[in-house]
Amino acid sequence: MVFQLLYGAGCILLFFGMLWMFLPHAVHTAFLSEEEEAEHLFHIAQGAIVSVMGVILLVVHQKRKTV
């Protein structure tokens, strides 16, 4: 049952990570209410890290399912 939760959590992390990566920079600024501008590459890196974490959870779930 724990591994079924991993699949759902992996999907959610992957979705939000990809969403965060591909949002335009203006949306990041409006969403976070940042007064100073952060670099867009920083937001891409944040989204990539979250997406990779989601993929890792999906792979762990798949490996556990086949064993």
Side-chain angles (χ1 to χ4, degrees), residues 13-63:
L13 284 176
L14 182 60
F15 173 75
F16 282 118
M18 296 296 282
L19 180 69
W20 193 250
M21 275 178 31
F22 292 114
L23 278 176
H25 185 64
V27 176
H28 287 290
T29 305
F31 183 70
L32 296 175
S33 300
E34 296 175 346
E35 291 188 16
E36 59 185 53
E37 292 288 324
E39 291 188 27
H40 189 62
L41 291 177
F42 183 67
H43 295 294
I44 291 174
Q46 286 175 336
I49 291 169
V50 173
S51 295
V52 168
M53 288 172 29
V55 169
I56 289 171
L57 288 178
L58 292 174
V59 168
V60 167
H61 175 266
Q62 187 65 28
K63 294 284 185 185

